[in-house]
Amino acid sequence: MANLKQLAQSLGLSVTTVSRALDGYSDVSAATRQRVQEAADKAGYRPNASARRLRKQRAELVAVTLPSEPGHIGPLHFLDMLSGCAEHLAGAGLNLVIAPVPHGESELDMCRRFVDGRRVDAMLLVRTKRHDERVEFLQSRGFPFVTNGRTESVIQHPYIDGDGFSGFNAATLRFHRDGHRRIAHVGAPQEYFFAHARRQGWEAAMRECGLATDLDLQQAPTEQGGYEAALALLARSDRPTAIVCATDEMAIGVLRALREVDGGLSISVIGHDDLPIGAFTSPALSTMRMTGGNLGRSFASLLLRTIAGEPAETLQELHAIEFVDRDSHRLPPIAA
Amino acid sequence: MANLKQLAQSLGLSVTTVSRALDGYSDVSAATRQRVQEAADKAGYRPNASARRLRKQRAELVAVTLPSEPGHIGPLHFLDMLSGCAEHLAGAGLNLVIAPVPHGESELDMCRRFVDGRRVDAMLLVRTKRHDERVEFLQSRGFPFVTNGRTESVIQHPYIDGDGFSGFNAATLRFHRDGHRRIAHVGAPQEYFFAHARRQGWEAAMRECGLATDLDLQQAPTEQGGYEAALALLARSDRPTAIVCATDEMAIGVLRALREVDGGLSISVIGHDDLPIGAFTSPALSTMRMTGGNLGRSFASLLLRTIAGEPAETLQELHAIEFVDRDSHRLPPIAA
DNA sequence: AGGATCATCCAAAACGTTTTGGGAGTCAAT
DNA sequence: ATTGACTCCCAAAACGTTTTGGATGATCCT
């Protein structure tokens, strides 16, 4: 209702003084400041956000891209993360806008819109690819951004990621220690960094154990993708006795295939992400997850520090992976 | 990089003309428009969002409040809905900001910040209470908003809601038809409209059947809340043979209690919301859900029409509830 | 020729802030 | 009395757009 001019007029002061009083500058007397503060409170005055943004050349917004393409929308615990991120950003006066890619527009176009229209101060990218055109674009513009997941970009950039290689390496080695020899990998498209890293971890472990790496399939990172991959594996004469899955969604699809073909759990399975849903599947899904606590808070912090101009090298978090052992990984290797 | 002034200068035109050319006004010649358009494309020009917002007195933003308080963050399929909503809003040039309530601030304070600071053009409220102070505030300001869920406000406002009364009424009557006589209700705090409506539906059915309505408990709308309510019910001498639960999360907690106390499904259970997770519980959770297709799209449409000034009465959607029958509701009444 | 109509363009105002670059006035030291 | 330092305040510019209210010619009609 009230703007600065009206407020100033009603106080017999200039807009400058009122503005500076409210912003806590030292060149306004304590008495005046108090008078201004009270009047502002009484009038319920809040500075017009658009005006301030224009003047300060900051959008006070951060956008997060939501890939709506394969299967569902990102990991399912995403909203919790975003909510935490938004809350911490709000503490610094930034709001978080969610930006699903509109039908008929590429994710790159969307970045362009946000960046060139100065709609946001930074971007949060999820589901990075090994060669990610969004990353390249933002780097070419010198625009602040943080990714969830690494890339193979030669120029460094801020990211938070789990050490998928080590996680899948360890999971595979553990299967080997448990006596498994035919350990399959059900992966996601290798253009995604996370999918590639996880597959590499599996592959390195297999080589280390002197095992062949041909029990390997890629599918869409969805329940359906996992289902189809499992069907293909079950049809082989050299069936695996254990399967490591790139994502929990895929692992759940694998469990469904096992139920349908063998009537239950006939092969050990482990997933990745620790979706809440995994606790309720039968058998309960064994999985892995990133350590590191409040992810949303970390993203918010990295975004703020990126905007503040900290160099990318100091803004990279690689978190260890830990096992979440439930029931699906415990089958002896001779089950088939 | 480029702003209107620079673009105009490089073309030997005024900013007025360039602006109007790009906006498709008819008072600029076709030749000039083309010339401008091409130059703008080449320069990758996009109008500065803050400047336009200030001038047009529109924030081009809509905020959705995320209640982070009880249990998890809203229904778990929330992100899909929000994503759909954001996508359709984007088609009209609006972005969606997610606004979790910051620590130590009330949801009302947050509304105030957004409204009085003109940070958004409309708000989307979820988890309405019967008497909702956010609704009252927005109404007092004459500010556009849409709620997910009704309220008991005397002044009408736009909403989308499921007909919880009828859904719970029908579910209870069906249990009765199946022979159940001791049908319990595990509800959420009655200050929430949805919780009250659902309880009323159950209660009306019980009365209609001439049954007592004392098998009735309220708890937090979380898995834990459902668990605790079920423990209390199972300890009674007049145990129920069927339970209708206000939410799927609560129903899942009830299933856990049944497993722990009776070692499996000993009582019929039905939930509400059709969480994806329900398909994976054992037994698979029978539930209900709102009909009506793409919820996000509907919210976006209502928001746009509210902003456009359509009267609230034409912007109210009450959707029927349908059963999603899986396994948990099929037990005969004498199971106990 | 004079007026009306039309097509095309533009200067300036406006949106509401924040920031710049001082301007008064007071007080103390010289 | 002048100078300098200090306190408190303010006018005006700036941010980049959209919109208002014409201005300038050209064309057409009578």
Side-chain angles (χ1 to χ4, degrees):
Chain A
M1 200 87 297
N3 61 20
L4 215 46
K5 200 199 284 192
Q6 292 161 8
L7 193 61
Q9 229 148 30
S10 80
L11 283 165
L13 290 169
S14 74
V15 289
T16 306
T17 301
V18 177
S19 172
R20 294 179 78 82
L22 293 174
D23 266 17
Y25 279 71
S26 65
D27 64 353
V28 31
S29 74
T32 311
R33 161 165 306 117
Q34 170 137 4
R35 205 158 61 92
V36 170
Q37 195 62 259
E38 277 168 12
D41 286 350
K42 193 159 132 233
Y45 169 78
R46 320 255 169 168
N48 180 298
S50 299
R52 191 203 355 215
R53 287 165 177 167
L54 172 59
R55 174 62 232 227
K56 301 198 95 167
Q57 296 287 72
R58 298 200 282 105
E60 298 180 350
L61 291 172
V62 172
V64 53
T65 63
L66 294 187
S68 54
E69 296 155 9
H72 275 88
I73 191 156
L76 291 175
H77 48 282
F78 228 58
L79 189 54
D80 281 321
M81 190 274 274
L82 291 184
S83 171
C85 185
E87 194 175 329
H88 288 288
L89 286 176
L94 297 181
N95 285 117
L96 184 64
V97 336
I98 59 176
V101 299
H103 207 68
E105 194 179 3
S106 79
E107 248 180 290
L108 188 58
D109 291 337
M110 219 190 48
C111 287
R112 235 187 270 277
R113 267 222 334 273
F114 276 102
V115 171
D116 290 340
R118 300 235 165 37
R119 308 180 94 83
V120 295
D121 297 322
M123 301 212 58
L124 178 53
L125 264 37
V126 304
R127 282 253 205 167
T128 45
K129 297 186 175 178
R130 288 202 277 159
H131 296 287
D132 200 300
E133 52 179 11
R134 304 167 300 172
V135 168
E136 279 170 15
F137 168 73
L138 292 169
Q139 287 179 330
S140 77
R141 284 279 194 280
F143 197 83
F145 70 98
V146 175
T147 60
N148 182 10
R150 285 163 289 172
T151 67
E152 291 178 2
S153 164
V154 286
I155 309 174
Q156 296 299 305
H157 61 81
Y159 65 77
I160 296 180
D161 202 0
D163 187 355
F165 180 95
S166 300
F168 275 58
N169 199 260
T172 307
L173 291 178
R174 185 168 71 161
F175 274 142
H176 183 259
R177 264 199 310 281
D178 290 345
H180 291 278
R181 289 301 174 266
R182 291 196 307 285
I183 307 167
H185 172 250
V186 168
Q190 293 294 295
E191 56 187 308
Y192 293 110
F193 190 99
F194 81 91
H196 188 62
R198 293 172 192 183
R199 180 174 171 285
Q200 297 272 89
W202 163 82
E203 193 174 314
M206 294 297 275
R207 283 197 208 290
E208 190 182 328
C209 300
L211 300 173
T213 56
D214 59 323
L215 285 167
D216 180 26
L217 288 172
Q218 267 81 55
Q219 279 287 352
T222 61
E223 197 265 355
Q224 183 66 19
Y227 175 75
E228 285 168 14
L231 287 188
L233 286 172
L234 290 172
R236 295 174 64 144
S237 58
D238 58 340
R239 267 186 173 204
T241 63
I243 305 180
V244 294
C245 302
T247 73
D248 275 357
E249 283 189 84
M250 301 191 85
I252 288 170
V254 168
L255 291 183
R256 174 158 68 96
L258 294 181
R259 258 197 316 276
E260 287 186 13
V261 173
D262 290 350
L265 185 69
S266 49
I267 294 178
S268 282
V269 174
I270 187 168
H272 185 296
D273 285 348
D274 192 26
L275 295 193
I277 211 171
F280 295 98
T281 57
S282 79
L285 182 65
S286 297
T287 184
M288 311 174 232
R289 72 170 163 221
M290 209 174 87
T291 57
N294 190 330
L295 200 54
R297 177 191 206 100
S298 301
F299 274 118
S301 161
L302 248 47
L303 281 163
L304 292 172
R305 291 164 63 193
T306 303
I307 292 174
E310 280 194 40
E313 286 76 7
T314 65
L315 302 173
Q316 302 178 327
E317 293 188 9
L318 187 60
H319 294 284
I321 302 296
E322 65 186 0
F323 289 128
V324 179
D325 286 337
R326 287 194 277 254
D327 303 328
S328 68
H329 77 292
R330 300 190 196 280
L331 238 61
I334 16 64
Chain B
M1 202 86 296
N3 62 16
L4 215 46
K5 200 199 282 193
Q6 292 162 7
L7 194 60
Q9 228 148 31
S10 80
L11 282 164
L13 289 169
S14 74
V15 288
T16 307
T17 302
V18 176
S19 172
R20 295 179 77 82
L22 292 174
D23 266 16
Y25 281 71
S26 65
D27 66 349
V28 32
S29 75
T32 312
R33 162 166 305 119
Q34 169 135 7
R35 207 158 60 91
V36 170
Q37 193 62 260
E38 277 168 11
D41 287 350
K42 196 161 129 228
Y45 169 77
R46 320 252 170 173
N48 180 297
S50 299
R52 191 203 356 217
R53 287 165 177 167
L54 173 59
R55 175 62 232 227
K56 302 198 96 170
Q57 297 286 74
R58 299 200 279 104
E60 298 180 351
L61 291 173
V62 172
V64 53
T65 64
L66 294 188
S68 53
E69 294 155 13
H72 276 90
I73 192 155
L76 290 174
H77 47 285
F78 228 57
L79 189 55
D80 281 321
M81 189 276 270
L82 291 184
S83 170
C85 185
E87 194 173 330
H88 287 288
L89 286 176
L94 296 181
N95 284 117
L96 184 65
V97 338
I98 59 177
V101 300
H103 208 66
E105 194 178 4
S106 79
E107 249 182 287
L108 188 58
D109 290 338
M110 219 188 48
C111 286
R112 235 186 269 277
R113 267 224 331 273
F114 276 101
V115 171
D116 290 340
R118 301 238 166 33
R119 308 180 94 84
V120 295
D121 297 322
M123 299 213 58
L124 178 53
L125 264 37
V126 305
R127 284 252 202 161
T128 47
K129 299 186 174 179
R130 289 202 277 159
H131 296 287
D132 200 301
E133 54 178 11
R134 305 167 300 173
V135 168
E136 279 169 17
F137 168 74
L138 293 169
Q139 286 179 331
S140 77
R141 282 281 194 282
F143 197 83
F145 70 98
V146 175
T147 61
N148 182 10
R150 284 163 288 171
T151 68
E152 291 176 3
S153 164
V154 287
I155 310 173
Q156 296 298 304
H157 62 80
Y159 65 76
I160 296 181
D161 202 359
D163 187 356
F165 180 95
S166 301
F168 274 57
N169 199 261
T172 308
L173 291 178
R174 185 167 72 163
F175 273 143
H176 183 258
R177 266 198 309 280
D178 290 346
H180 291 278
R181 291 299 174 266
R182 291 198 305 287
I183 307 168
H185 172 249
V186 167
Q190 294 295 295
E191 56 188 308
Y192 293 110
F193 190 100
F194 81 91
H196 188 62
R198 292 174 192 182
R199 181 172 170 287
Q200 297 273 88
W202 163 81
E203 191 175 315
M206 294 298 275
R207 284 197 207 290
E208 191 182 327
C209 300
L211 299 174
T213 56
D214 60 322
L215 285 166
D216 180 25
L217 288 172
Q218 267 81 55
Q219 279 288 352
T222 61
E223 198 265 355
Q224 184 65 20
Y227 174 76
E228 286 168 12
L231 286 188
L233 286 171
L234 290 172
R236 295 174 64 141
S237 58
D238 60 339
R239 265 188 175 201
T241 63
I243 305 180
V244 294
C245 302
T247 73
D248 275 358
E249 282 189 85
M250 301 191 85
I252 288 171
V254 169
L255 292 183
R256 175 158 68 96
L258 294 181
R259 255 197 318 274
E260 287 187 10
V261 173
D262 290 350
L265 185 69
S266 49
I267 294 179
S268 282
V269 174
I270 187 167
H272 185 294
D273 285 349
D274 192 25
L275 295 194
I277 210 170
F280 296 99
T281 57
S282 79
L285 182 65
S286 297
T287 185
M288 311 174 232
R289 71 170 161 220
M290 212 174 85
T291 57
N294 191 328
L295 199 55
R297 175 189 209 104
S298 300
F299 274 117
S301 162
L302 249 47
L303 281 164
L304 292 173
R305 291 163 63 195
T306 303
I307 292 173
E310 280 194 40
E313 287 76 8
T314 65
L315 301 174
Q316 302 178 327
E317 294 188 10
L318 186 61
H319 294 284
I321 302 296
E322 65 185 1
F323 289 128
V324 179
D325 286 336
R326 287 194 276 253
D327 302 329
S328 68
H329 76 293
R330 299 190 196 282
L331 237 61
I334 17 64

